[in-house]
Amino acid sequence: MAMENFKHFLVVLSVAAAAGLVSIIFVLIWVLHFREGLAWDGGPAEFNWHPVLMVIGFIFLQGTAIIVYRIPWTWHRSKLMMKFIHAGLNLLAFILAVISMVAVFDFHNAAKIPNMYSLHSWVGLAAVILYGLQLVLGVGMYLMPFTPASWRAAFMPLHVYGGLFLFTSVIAVALMGITEKLIFSLSNPKYKDSPPEAIFVNVLGLLLVVFGALILWIASRKSWKRPSEQILHTLHTDGGVESDVPNEETCGDVRKRSCK
Ligand code: HEM
Ligand code: HEM
Protein backbone atom coordinates (compact mmCIF):
# COMPACT_ATOMS: atom_id res chain seq x y z
CA MET A 1 0.00 0.00 0.00
CA ALA A 2 1.42 3.39 -0.97
CA MET A 3 2.29 5.72 1.92
CA GLU A 4 -0.48 8.25 1.14
CA ASN A 5 -3.05 5.47 0.86
CA PHE A 6 -1.80 3.94 4.13
CA LYS A 7 -2.24 7.28 5.92
CA HIS A 8 -5.84 7.57 4.68
CA PHE A 9 -6.48 4.03 5.89
CA LEU A 10 -5.04 4.84 9.32
CA VAL A 11 -7.20 7.94 9.70
CA VAL A 12 -10.42 6.11 8.77
CA LEU A 13 -9.53 3.10 10.94
CA SER A 14 -8.75 5.33 13.95
CA VAL A 15 -12.00 7.29 13.66
CA ALA A 16 -13.97 4.03 13.24
CA ALA A 17 -12.27 2.51 16.31
CA ALA A 18 -12.94 5.68 18.32
CA ALA A 19 -16.64 5.77 17.28
CA GLY A 20 -17.00 2.06 18.13
CA LEU A 21 -15.30 2.30 21.52
CA VAL A 22 -17.15 5.48 22.51
CA SER A 23 -20.45 3.74 21.54
CA ILE A 24 -19.61 0.94 23.98
CA ILE A 25 -18.85 3.49 26.72
CA PHE A 26 -22.11 5.33 25.93
CA VAL A 27 -24.30 2.21 26.11
CA LEU A 28 -22.68 1.29 29.45
CA ILE A 29 -23.26 4.80 30.85
CA TRP A 30 -26.84 4.61 29.58
CA VAL A 31 -27.72 1.41 31.44
CA LEU A 32 -25.54 2.00 34.54
CA HIS A 33 -26.15 5.71 35.10
CA PHE A 34 -29.53 6.55 33.51
CA ARG A 35 -31.20 3.12 33.83
CA GLU A 36 -31.39 0.24 36.35
CA GLY A 37 -27.87 -1.19 35.93
CA LEU A 38 -27.06 -4.79 35.00
CA ALA A 39 -28.28 -8.00 36.67
CA TRP A 40 -29.74 -11.40 35.73
CA ASP A 41 -32.97 -11.26 37.77
CA GLY A 42 -35.84 -11.21 35.24
CA GLY A 43 -36.27 -7.46 35.79
CA PRO A 44 -35.33 -4.33 33.79
CA ALA A 45 -31.65 -4.74 34.76
CA GLU A 46 -31.68 -8.07 32.90
CA PHE A 47 -33.20 -6.38 29.85
CA ASN A 48 -30.26 -3.94 29.95
CA TRP A 49 -27.88 -6.73 28.89
CA HIS A 50 -29.76 -6.65 25.57
CA PRO A 51 -28.48 -3.27 24.25
CA VAL A 52 -25.07 -3.70 25.93
CA LEU A 53 -24.32 -7.10 24.35
CA MET A 54 -25.78 -6.11 20.98
CA VAL A 55 -23.57 -3.01 20.77
CA ILE A 56 -20.42 -4.82 21.96
CA GLY A 57 -20.98 -8.06 20.06
CA PHE A 58 -23.28 -7.70 17.13
CA ILE A 59 -22.10 -4.22 16.14
CA PHE A 60 -18.52 -3.64 17.37
CA LEU A 61 -17.14 -7.19 17.08
CA GLN A 62 -18.92 -7.87 13.80
CA GLY A 63 -17.58 -4.58 12.36
CA THR A 64 -14.07 -5.50 13.53
CA ALA A 65 -14.37 -9.01 12.04
CA ILE A 66 -15.38 -7.51 8.67
CA ILE A 67 -12.26 -5.36 8.37
CA VAL A 68 -9.56 -7.62 9.91
CA TYR A 69 -8.30 -8.75 6.51
CA ARG A 70 -7.74 -5.09 5.62
CA ILE A 71 -5.25 -4.28 8.39
CA PRO A 72 -1.82 -3.99 6.69
CA TRP A 73 0.17 -5.11 9.75
CA THR A 74 -1.59 -8.50 9.57
CA TRP A 75 -0.60 -9.12 5.95
CA HIS A 76 2.56 -11.00 6.90
CA ARG A 77 0.35 -13.46 8.83
CA SER A 78 -0.90 -16.51 6.92
CA LYS A 79 -4.33 -16.31 5.29
CA LEU A 80 -5.43 -19.31 7.36
CA MET A 81 -4.62 -17.50 10.60
CA MET A 82 -6.60 -14.45 9.44
CA LYS A 83 -9.54 -16.69 8.53
CA PHE A 84 -9.52 -18.08 12.07
CA ILE A 85 -9.50 -14.55 13.51
CA HIS A 86 -12.33 -13.41 11.16
CA ALA A 87 -14.40 -16.52 11.91
CA GLY A 88 -13.61 -16.38 15.67
CA LEU A 89 -14.68 -12.73 16.01
CA ASN A 90 -17.89 -13.46 14.08
CA LEU A 91 -18.58 -16.50 16.28
CA LEU A 92 -18.06 -14.42 19.44
CA ALA A 93 -20.40 -11.73 18.03
CA PHE A 94 -23.03 -14.41 17.40
CA ILE A 95 -22.73 -15.87 20.92
CA LEU A 96 -23.11 -12.42 22.51
CA ALA A 97 -26.14 -11.71 20.27
CA VAL A 98 -27.77 -14.97 21.38
CA ILE A 99 -27.18 -14.20 25.10
CA SER A 100 -28.59 -10.72 24.47
CA MET A 101 -31.74 -12.29 22.98
CA VAL A 102 -32.11 -14.64 25.94
CA ALA A 103 -31.98 -11.59 28.24
CA VAL A 104 -34.83 -9.79 26.49
CA PHE A 105 -37.04 -12.90 26.08
CA ASP A 106 -36.49 -13.79 29.75
CA PHE A 107 -37.39 -10.27 30.83
CA HIS A 108 -40.53 -10.25 28.64
CA ASN A 109 -41.69 -13.64 29.94
CA ALA A 110 -41.10 -12.67 33.60
CA ALA A 111 -43.01 -9.38 33.13
CA LYS A 112 -45.74 -11.03 30.96
CA ILE A 113 -44.92 -8.72 28.02
CA PRO A 114 -45.69 -10.36 24.63
CA ASN A 115 -42.78 -11.52 22.49
CA MET A 116 -42.06 -10.67 18.86
CA TYR A 117 -44.69 -7.98 18.29
CA SER A 118 -42.47 -5.14 17.00
CA LEU A 119 -40.81 -4.48 13.64
CA HIS A 120 -37.56 -4.18 15.63
CA SER A 121 -37.95 -7.74 16.89
CA TRP A 122 -38.91 -9.15 13.48
CA VAL A 123 -35.98 -7.66 11.57
CA GLY A 124 -33.69 -8.33 14.56
CA LEU A 125 -34.56 -12.03 14.83
CA ALA A 126 -34.23 -12.43 11.03
CA ALA A 127 -30.76 -10.85 11.22
CA VAL A 128 -29.64 -13.20 14.03
CA ILE A 129 -30.89 -16.28 12.14
CA LEU A 130 -29.30 -15.23 8.82
CA TYR A 131 -26.07 -14.38 10.64
CA GLY A 132 -26.01 -17.93 12.03
CA LEU A 133 -26.48 -19.24 8.49
CA GLN A 134 -23.69 -16.98 7.16
CA LEU A 135 -21.42 -18.32 9.91
CA VAL A 136 -22.13 -21.99 9.11
CA LEU A 137 -21.76 -21.43 5.34
CA GLY A 138 -18.55 -19.43 5.93
CA VAL A 139 -17.00 -22.28 7.93
CA GLY A 140 -18.17 -24.86 5.38
CA MET A 141 -16.82 -22.93 2.42
CA TYR A 142 -13.59 -21.43 3.70
CA LEU A 143 -12.36 -23.60 6.57
CA MET A 144 -13.17 -27.11 5.29
CA PRO A 145 -10.14 -28.31 3.32
CA PHE A 146 -12.24 -30.50 1.02
CA THR A 147 -14.44 -27.65 -0.33
CA PRO A 148 -13.52 -27.18 -4.03
CA ALA A 149 -11.76 -23.91 -4.87
CA SER A 150 -14.36 -23.24 -7.59
CA TRP A 151 -17.16 -23.30 -4.97
CA ARG A 152 -15.20 -20.95 -2.73
CA ALA A 153 -14.70 -18.48 -5.55
CA ALA A 154 -18.30 -18.71 -6.75
CA PHE A 155 -19.68 -18.15 -3.24
CA MET A 156 -17.41 -15.22 -2.32
CA PRO A 157 -19.50 -12.38 -3.86
CA LEU A 158 -22.56 -13.69 -1.97
CA HIS A 159 -20.53 -14.03 1.26
CA VAL A 160 -19.27 -10.44 1.03
CA TYR A 161 -22.67 -9.01 0.03
CA GLY A 162 -24.45 -11.05 2.72
CA GLY A 163 -21.98 -9.92 5.39
CA LEU A 164 -22.24 -6.23 4.51
CA PHE A 165 -26.03 -6.43 4.20
CA LEU A 166 -26.34 -8.09 7.61
CA PHE A 167 -24.00 -5.59 9.26
CA THR A 168 -26.01 -2.66 7.84
CA SER A 169 -29.31 -4.25 8.88
CA VAL A 170 -28.06 -4.75 12.42
CA ILE A 171 -27.22 -1.04 12.74
CA ALA A 172 -30.75 -0.19 11.52
CA VAL A 173 -32.25 -2.68 14.00
CA ALA A 174 -30.26 -1.09 16.84
CA LEU A 175 -31.58 2.38 15.91
CA MET A 176 -35.16 1.07 16.00
CA GLY A 177 -34.53 -0.59 19.38
CA ILE A 178 -33.01 2.58 20.85
CA THR A 179 -35.95 4.69 19.67
CA GLU A 180 -38.51 2.21 21.06
CA LYS A 181 -36.77 2.01 24.39
CA LEU A 182 -36.60 5.80 24.77
CA ILE A 183 -40.30 6.16 23.91
CA PHE A 184 -41.27 3.34 26.34
CA SER A 185 -39.15 4.36 29.29
CA LEU A 186 -39.07 8.16 29.33
CA SER A 187 -42.07 9.67 31.08
CA ASN A 188 -42.14 12.95 32.88
CA PRO A 189 -40.18 14.42 31.12
CA LYS A 190 -41.07 12.48 27.97
CA TYR A 191 -38.87 11.73 24.94
CA LYS A 192 -40.43 14.67 23.09
CA ASP A 193 -39.30 17.01 25.88
CA SER A 194 -35.65 16.07 25.19
CA PRO A 195 -34.39 15.25 28.71
CA PRO A 196 -30.61 14.67 29.08
CA GLU A 197 -31.03 10.87 28.69
CA ALA A 198 -32.80 11.35 25.34
CA ILE A 199 -30.05 13.64 24.00
CA PHE A 200 -27.32 11.30 25.30
CA VAL A 201 -28.86 8.20 23.73
CA ASN A 202 -29.61 10.00 20.44
CA VAL A 203 -25.86 10.69 20.30
CA LEU A 204 -25.23 6.96 20.87
CA GLY A 205 -27.41 6.28 17.80
CA LEU A 206 -25.40 8.78 15.75
CA LEU A 207 -22.13 7.16 16.85
CA LEU A 208 -23.41 3.76 15.68
CA VAL A 209 -24.26 5.25 12.28
CA VAL A 210 -20.76 6.79 12.02
CA PHE A 211 -19.14 3.46 13.01
CA GLY A 212 -21.24 1.59 10.42
CA ALA A 213 -20.50 4.12 7.68
CA LEU A 214 -16.73 3.92 8.26
CA ILE A 215 -16.64 0.11 8.38
CA LEU A 216 -18.55 0.01 5.08
CA TRP A 217 -16.13 2.57 3.63
CA ILE A 218 -13.08 0.48 4.60
CA ALA A 219 -14.66 -2.75 3.33
CA SER A 220 -15.53 -1.19 -0.03
CA ARG A 221 -12.07 0.30 -0.86
CA LYS A 222 -10.42 -1.97 -3.44
CA SER A 223 -6.97 -0.42 -2.92
CA TRP A 224 -7.09 -1.34 0.80
CA LYS A 225 -7.56 -5.05 0.13
CA ARG A 226 -5.15 -7.64 1.49
CA PRO A 227 -2.82 -8.50 -1.45
CA SER A 228 -3.20 -11.99 -2.89
CA GLU A 229 -0.96 -14.72 -1.47
CA GLN A 230 0.92 -14.77 -4.79
CA ILE A 231 1.83 -11.07 -4.45
CA LEU A 232 2.76 -11.58 -0.78
CA HIS A 233 4.92 -14.53 -1.84
CA THR A 234 6.73 -12.39 -4.43
CA LEU A 235 7.37 -9.76 -1.75
CA HIS A 236 8.72 -12.52 0.45
CA THR A 237 11.18 -13.78 -2.15
CA ASP A 238 12.25 -10.12 -2.58
CA GLY A 239 13.00 -9.96 1.13
CA GLY A 240 9.43 -9.06 2.15
CA VAL A 241 6.75 -11.07 3.94
CA GLU A 242 5.94 -14.76 4.28
CA SER A 243 2.74 -16.66 3.48
CA ASP A 244 1.63 -20.25 3.19
CA VAL A 245 -1.97 -20.53 2.07
CA PRO A 246 -3.17 -20.16 -1.54
CA ASN A 247 -5.74 -17.43 -2.12
CA GLU A 248 -8.20 -19.63 -3.93
CA GLU A 249 -11.38 -18.02 -2.65
CA THR A 250 -10.49 -14.49 -3.72
CA CYS A 251 -10.38 -15.42 -7.42
CA GLY A 252 -14.16 -15.04 -7.83
CA ASP A 253 -15.53 -12.57 -10.36
CA VAL A 254 -15.45 -9.47 -8.13
CA ARG A 255 -11.96 -10.25 -6.93
CA LYS A 256 -10.07 -11.06 -10.13
CA ARG A 257 -7.73 -8.14 -9.49
CA SER A 258 -6.12 -10.03 -6.62
CA CYS A 259 -5.54 -13.14 -8.75
CA LYS A 260 -3.39 -11.38 -11.35
C1 HEM B 1 -36.61 -6.67 21.76
C2 HEM B 1 -33.29 -8.01 18.50
C3 HEM B 1 -30.64 -4.10 19.57
C4 HEM B 1 -34.22 -2.53 22.43
C5 HEM B 1 -35.91 -7.38 20.82
C6 HEM B 1 -36.36 -8.65 20.28
C7 HEM B 1 -35.43 -9.02 19.35
C8 HEM B 1 -34.40 -8.01 19.31
C9 HEM B 1 -35.46 -10.26 18.47
C10 HEM B 1 -37.62 -9.40 20.63
C11 HEM B 1 -37.56 -10.02 21.99
C12 HEM B 1 -38.91 -10.51 22.43
O1 HEM B 1 -39.88 -10.39 21.69
O2 HEM B 1 -39.00 -11.02 23.58
C13 HEM B 1 -32.30 -7.05 18.49
C14 HEM B 1 -31.13 -7.08 17.63
C15 HEM B 1 -30.38 -5.99 17.92
C16 HEM B 1 -31.09 -5.25 18.98
C17 HEM B 1 -30.79 -8.14 16.59
C18 HEM B 1 -29.07 -5.67 17.27
C19 HEM B 1 -28.53 -4.53 17.21
C20 HEM B 1 -31.35 -3.34 20.47
C21 HEM B 1 -30.90 -2.12 21.05
C22 HEM B 1 -31.89 -1.67 21.85
C23 HEM B 1 -32.99 -2.63 21.77
C24 HEM B 1 -29.53 -1.45 20.84
C25 HEM B 1 -31.83 -0.44 22.69
C26 HEM B 1 -32.30 -0.39 23.90
C27 HEM B 1 -35.18 -3.49 22.45
C28 HEM B 1 -36.43 -3.37 23.17
C29 HEM B 1 -37.11 -4.57 23.01
C30 HEM B 1 -36.27 -5.41 22.17
C31 HEM B 1 -36.91 -2.15 23.96
C32 HEM B 1 -38.47 -4.95 23.61
C33 HEM B 1 -39.58 -4.50 22.73
C34 HEM B 1 -39.66 -5.25 21.44
O3 HEM B 1 -39.83 -6.48 21.44
O4 HEM B 1 -39.49 -4.60 20.39
N1 HEM B 1 -34.72 -7.02 20.22
N2 HEM B 1 -32.24 -5.93 19.29
N3 HEM B 1 -32.61 -3.64 20.92
N4 HEM B 1 -35.12 -4.72 21.84
FE1 HEM B 1 -33.70 -5.32 20.57
C1 HEM C 1 -14.63 -11.91 3.66
C2 HEM C 1 -18.49 -11.12 6.49
C3 HEM C 1 -18.01 -15.53 8.44
C4 HEM C 1 -14.23 -16.36 5.50
C5 HEM C 1 -15.72 -11.32 4.28
C6 HEM C 1 -16.19 -9.98 4.00
C7 HEM C 1 -17.27 -9.77 4.78
C8 HEM C 1 -17.49 -10.96 5.56
C9 HEM C 1 -18.12 -8.51 4.84
C10 HEM C 1 -15.52 -8.99 3.04
C11 HEM C 1 -14.29 -8.41 3.73
C12 HEM C 1 -13.38 -7.63 2.80
O1 HEM C 1 -13.76 -7.32 1.67
O2 HEM C 1 -12.26 -7.32 3.23
C13 HEM C 1 -18.68 -12.25 7.27
C14 HEM C 1 -19.71 -12.39 8.29
C15 HEM C 1 -19.57 -13.64 8.82
C16 HEM C 1 -18.46 -14.28 8.15
C17 HEM C 1 -20.74 -11.33 8.67
C18 HEM C 1 -20.35 -14.33 9.93
C19 HEM C 1 -21.63 -14.24 10.10
C20 HEM C 1 -16.92 -16.14 7.84
C21 HEM C 1 -16.39 -17.41 8.20
C22 HEM C 1 -15.34 -17.66 7.37
C23 HEM C 1 -15.19 -16.52 6.48
C24 HEM C 1 -16.92 -18.32 9.31
C25 HEM C 1 -14.44 -18.86 7.42
C26 HEM C 1 -13.15 -18.74 7.43
C27 HEM C 1 -14.04 -15.24 4.73
C28 HEM C 1 -13.00 -15.10 3.71
C29 HEM C 1 -13.12 -13.81 3.18
C30 HEM C 1 -14.22 -13.18 3.89
C31 HEM C 1 -11.98 -16.16 3.31
C32 HEM C 1 -12.28 -13.21 2.04
C33 HEM C 1 -11.15 -12.37 2.58
C34 HEM C 1 -10.39 -11.65 1.47
O3 HEM C 1 -11.01 -10.98 0.63
O4 HEM C 1 -9.18 -11.75 1.45
N1 HEM C 1 -16.53 -11.89 5.24
N2 HEM C 1 -17.94 -13.40 7.22
N3 HEM C 1 -16.18 -15.61 6.81
N4 HEM C 1 -14.76 -14.06 4.81
FE1 HEM C 1 -16.35 -13.76 6.01
Side-chain angles (χ1 to χ4, degrees), residues 58 62 65-70 79-80 82-91 93-94 130-144 152 156 159-167 215-216 218-221 224-229 247-250 255 258:
F58 225 21
Q62 180 182 180
I66 284 176
I67 54 129
V68 276
Y69 293 111
R70 303 287 181 136
K79 183 67 180 278
L80 184 63
M82 294 318 294
K83 285 195 210 175
F84 276 123
I85 294 176
H86 174 77
L89 285 169
N90 276 311
L91 177 65
F94 181 69
L130 291 174
Y131 193 80
L133 187 68
Q134 167 96 344
L135 203 53
V136 171
L137 286 173
V139 171
M141 286 286 171
Y142 304 113
L143 283 180
M144 295 298 130
R152 296 182 176 200
M156 189 43 78
H159 181 80
V160 174
Y161 173 79
L164 297 178
F165 176 71
L166 277 170
F167 177 67
I215 294 293
L216 292 177
I218 295 175
S220 55
R221 284 323 80 205
W224 293 353
K225 259 191 70 60
R226 178 186 163 97
S228 74
E229 299 308 288
N247 202 32
E248 68 288 67
E249 65 273 359
T250 55
R255 314 222 138 194
S258 60

Side-chain angles (χ1 to χ4, degrees), residues 66-194:
I66 284 176
I67 54 129
V68 276
Y69 293 111
R70 303 287 181 136
I71 300 171
W73 49 95
T74 67
W75 289 349
H76 69 288
R77 299 269 167 221
S78 75
K79 183 67 180 278
L80 184 63
M81 153 94 90
M82 294 318 294
K83 285 195 210 175
F84 276 123
I85 294 176
H86 174 77
L89 285 169
N90 276 311
L91 177 65
L92 193 59
F94 181 69
I95 293 171
L96 295 186
V98 170
I99 300 174
S100 154
M101 303 271 287
V102 174
V104 64
F105 274 93
D106 212 36
F107 164 67
H108 274 184
N109 294 340
K112 305 228 170 349
I113 300 170
N115 291 310
M116 297 304 299
Y117 64 86
S118 65
L119 177 60
H120 166 77
S121 61
W122 289 13
V123 184
L125 185 64
V128 175
I129 293 171
L130 291 174
Y131 193 80
L133 187 68
Q134 167 96 344
L135 203 53
V136 171
L137 286 173
V139 171
M141 286 286 171
Y142 304 113
L143 283 180
M144 295 298 130
F146 48 78
T147 307
S150 60
W151 290 23
R152 296 182 176 200
F155 186 67
M156 189 43 78
L158 197 60
H159 181 80
V160 174
Y161 173 79
L164 297 178
F165 176 71
L166 277 170
F167 177 67
T168 313
S169 307
V170 164
I171 305 260
V173 169
L175 299 183
M176 284 194 264
I178 286 173
T179 308
E180 267 186 9
K181 180 68 180 173
L182 288 172
I183 293 174
F184 294 158
S185 55
L186 291 174
S187 58
N188 201 22
K190 292 184 166 171
Y191 191 18
K192 68 176 168 55
D193 303 319
S194 292

